[in-house]
Amino acid sequence: MQMKRIILTYISISALLLAFGCADDNHGRIDQLDRDLAAPQPVEVTKVRATAGGAVLWVRIPDDKNIKGVVATYKRGGVEVNSKISRYVDSLAVEGFADTEEHEIQVCSFNVNEDKSTPVTVKFNPLAPAIRTVTPKLIAATGGVKVRITGNESKSDLAVCLLRDENVGNAVKPLDQLKWTEVTTMFTASDNITLTRRGIEPKEAIFGVYIRDRWGNVSDTLTAVLKPAKESAVPKDGFKGAYLKDDNVFSLESERSTYPLKGLWDGSGASETYRFLAVDKVPIPCWFTIDLGCEVKLSRIETLPRIGYPELFGDAHPRNFEFWGSLEPSGVAGSGEHGFDDSWVCLGKFIQRKPSGYNPDGKVGIVTPEDIQAFNAGNDFELDNEVYPHAYDKIRYLRVVLTSFASWSMPDMTVGSIQFGEITPYGELIEQQAQ
């Protein structure tokens, strides 16, 4: 009896294996039948729209169940390339052309075996690519060189390649005879941005810049003879609170000795213990003035937040920063913005950086790990005299105007608290004052 059960079990297993084997064999025969399919029917191109350096093609796929997708074949830079879509998509893009000349594309449907239909020929002229529309401008900056980028209306991903030839005498030579060294490559998809490369010695040299797109197409090279100005951190040992009569945050040395104004320049790195904190219902926006102890032309201002506080992008942390400068403030109210006197010039207005961006309604929205990292790393606010004409004016007094995140959440707020950790101005020192 036992033997019978063993034999029956063996027969059952054998039958199952045979069934799977037949199924596999049948599947193999189906594949063979698929490989013997005729070429698929051709597609119909219903619309072509030129784009910057390319085009978008809309297609109508015939009622052929064996069609897997559509492929466009074309030459880009002398090399044949393909763009593919599945049968469930009705448009495809062809990209990477470096000119506006007429180009020809072969559009085919294809089946699971990559057999192609009879091609449909499409001709079109792409719009000017970003490498042709972008206009870079080289500008000498404190501590380095700036490249101003405008004209990238298509928001294309671009590499901005900065070159340098230290021999100014080569400026009269053709471009291909200059002794270029690569300084850096910066990346942007903005249509209007200023990119800065610091750490370049303050010595006159030839600088060049060209634009490269992600297909390797390059623009012409723009050159300029520039001399970067020397940049230094403004010595903090000369800083002190000015406590002018028209400041609306003042006398904090005595009122809040635990978190005084000097906590912004004590070099503590914005630790939990040493920071600036303005409480007791300060006006929003609020401002205070720092006597830098020397005359300086500022180029940028770094700030650090209160490190360790859980309310990132919220509560009393500043969201909006304004920096104003003066050589000799009167200390009394005037007729300018915020009621400042005429000696004050605006150096720049900025917002706390958040890589993922804010919601359209201005709310903070989701805070990503990258946002947290950027917040704790602090801000590096680049001054720009093309946006703020007085950004590089000679000053001695730095006024900081702040609006908190809390006031953004509650627009009717007129008083509140402000806190942050450290401020570090950089620029060209003009005159060190006696202490």
Side-chain angles (χ1 to χ4, degrees):
M1 192 67 176
Q2 182 70 22
M3 182 59 71
K4 252 185 193 179
R5 279 197 294 268
I6 293 172
I7 292 170
L8 286 171
T9 303
Y10 175 77
I11 291 170
S12 298
I13 293 171
S14 298
L16 285 170
L17 291 172
L18 182 61
F20 281 119
C22 289
D24 288 342
D25 186 54
N26 186 56
H27 183 66
R29 286 198 299 273
I30 290 173
D31 280 351
Q32 183 63 46
L33 287 172
D34 285 347
R35 285 194 291 270
D36 291 339
L37 287 175
Q41 297 179 46
V43 299
E44 178 186 356
V45 178
T46 59
K47 180 182 176 182
V48 178
R49 177 172 63 83
T51 59
V56 177
L57 283 62
W58 279 264
V59 297
R60 181 177 294 119
I61 298 175
D63 186 16
D64 183 345
K65 64 181 181 180
N66 293 312
I67 290 178
K68 183 181 178 182
V70 178
V71 58
T73 303
Y74 53 100
K75 285 191 174 182
R76 186 173 62 206
V79 178
E80 186 172 276
V81 294
N82 295 318
S83 294
K84 285 184 177 182
I85 57 171
S86 79
R87 64 171 297 142
Y88 305 106
V89 180
D90 67 354
S91 65
L92 83 166
V94 293
E95 303 173 288
F97 295 100
D99 53 50
T100 57
E101 297 176 4
E102 185 178 77
H103 292 273
E104 185 175 290
I105 303 172
Q106 303 295 322
V107 183
C108 304
S109 61
F110 62 91
N111 60 24
V112 293
N113 304 319
E114 300 295 325
D115 295 326
K116 295 180 181 178
S117 69
T118 302
V120 174
T121 300
V122 176
K123 295 182 179 181
F124 77 100
N125 292 75
L127 302 179
I131 61 163
R132 301 289 177 238
T133 61
V134 164
T135 304
K137 181 180 179 182
L138 285 163
I139 307 165
T142 304
V145 171
K146 293 181 180 182
V147 183
R148 181 76 173 171
I149 298 295
T150 57
N152 185 17
E153 289 88 357
S154 59
K155 303 291 182 69
S156 300
D157 293 320
L158 300 175
V160 181
C161 305
L162 184 63
L163 310 171
R164 180 175 180 267
D165 182 342
E166 63 180 17
N167 187 351
V168 179
N170 288 338
V172 296
K173 295 181 179 180
L175 282 175
D176 59 359
Q177 294 183 24
L178 270 65
K179 305 297 182 182
W180 291 125
T181 57
E182 292 187 11
V183 177
T184 191
T185 299
M186 300 172 284
F187 300 91
T188 184
S190 174
D191 62 342
N192 190 335
I193 193 171
T194 298
L195 305 171
T196 304
R197 174 60 161 87
R198 295 195 183 89
I200 302 174
E201 61 180 321
K203 177 183 176 182
E204 192 174 56
I206 309 168
F207 290 89
V209 62
Y210 66 89
I211 310 301
R212 184 181 70 239
D213 65 21
R214 60 193 178 98
W215 298 279
N217 301 315
V218 298
S219 70
D220 294 333
T221 300
L222 170 76
T223 64
V225 176
L226 303 173
K227 182 180 180 180
K230 185 178 180 180
E231 181 187 62
S232 305
V234 182
K236 294 184 178 182
D237 56 0
F239 289 13
K240 59 184 178 182
Y243 305 120
L244 302 177
K245 290 182 180 179
D246 61 334
D247 285 336
N248 61 11
V249 176
F250 56 91
S251 300
L252 291 175
E253 299 289 345
S254 57
E255 290 182 11
R256 289 287 170 183
S257 59
T258 306
Y259 309 114
L261 189 61
K262 66 182 180 183
L264 286 176
W265 58 82
D266 62 2
S268 63
S271 70
E272 184 66 17
T273 305
Y274 301 99
R275 64 180 187 278
F276 163 65
L277 174 63
V279 294
D280 291 344
K281 299 181 179 180
V282 298
I284 298 296
C286 71
W287 56 84
F288 52 84
T289 305
I290 304 171
D291 179 355
L292 299 178
C294 63
E295 294 180 2
V296 62
K297 293 181 179 179
L298 295 183
S299 55
R300 60 189 173 102
I301 298 172
E302 291 182 352
T303 68
L304 286 174
R306 173 184 174 183
I307 303 298
Y309 189 69
E311 284 291 328
L312 279 68
F313 297 97
D315 198 35
H317 278 121
R319 171 161 170 159
N320 294 78
F321 295 77
E322 296 181 21
F323 300 105
W324 295 72
S326 173
L327 265 178
E328 295 183 25
S330 68
V332 297
S335 58
E337 189 174 348
H338 302 304
F340 296 169
D341 70 57
D342 292 341
S343 74
W344 291 102
V345 294
C346 186
L347 308 179
K349 298 181 180 182
F350 306 92
I351 189 169
Q352 167 65 47
R353 188 168 71 94
K354 183 173 182 282
S356 68
Y358 296 95
N359 288 348
D361 61 1
K363 293 181 180 177
V364 172
I366 295 172
V367 177
T368 67
E370 186 181 3
D371 294 336
I372 295 171
Q373 183 180 12
F375 186 91
N376 287 325
N379 295 295
D380 189 358
F381 296 125
E382 181 83 28
L383 304 186
D384 186 347
N385 68 344
E386 291 192 353
V387 181
Y388 297 94
H390 297 285
Y392 301 152
D393 281 13
K394 183 170 66 172
I395 67 167
R396 171 169 172 161
Y397 295 86
L398 176 65
R399 177 164 280 179
V400 184
V401 181
L402 304 169
T403 302
S404 70
F405 275 96
S407 64
W408 270 80
S409 301
M410 295 174 280
D412 296 330
M413 176 185 287
T414 57
V415 294
S417 300
I418 286 286
Q419 63 179 357
F420 74 108
E422 192 84 13
I423 186 167
T424 306
Y426 290 82
E428 181 183 5
L429 304 183
I430 306 300
E431 179 184 352
Q432 189 74 33
Q433 301 292 332
Q435 301 302 314

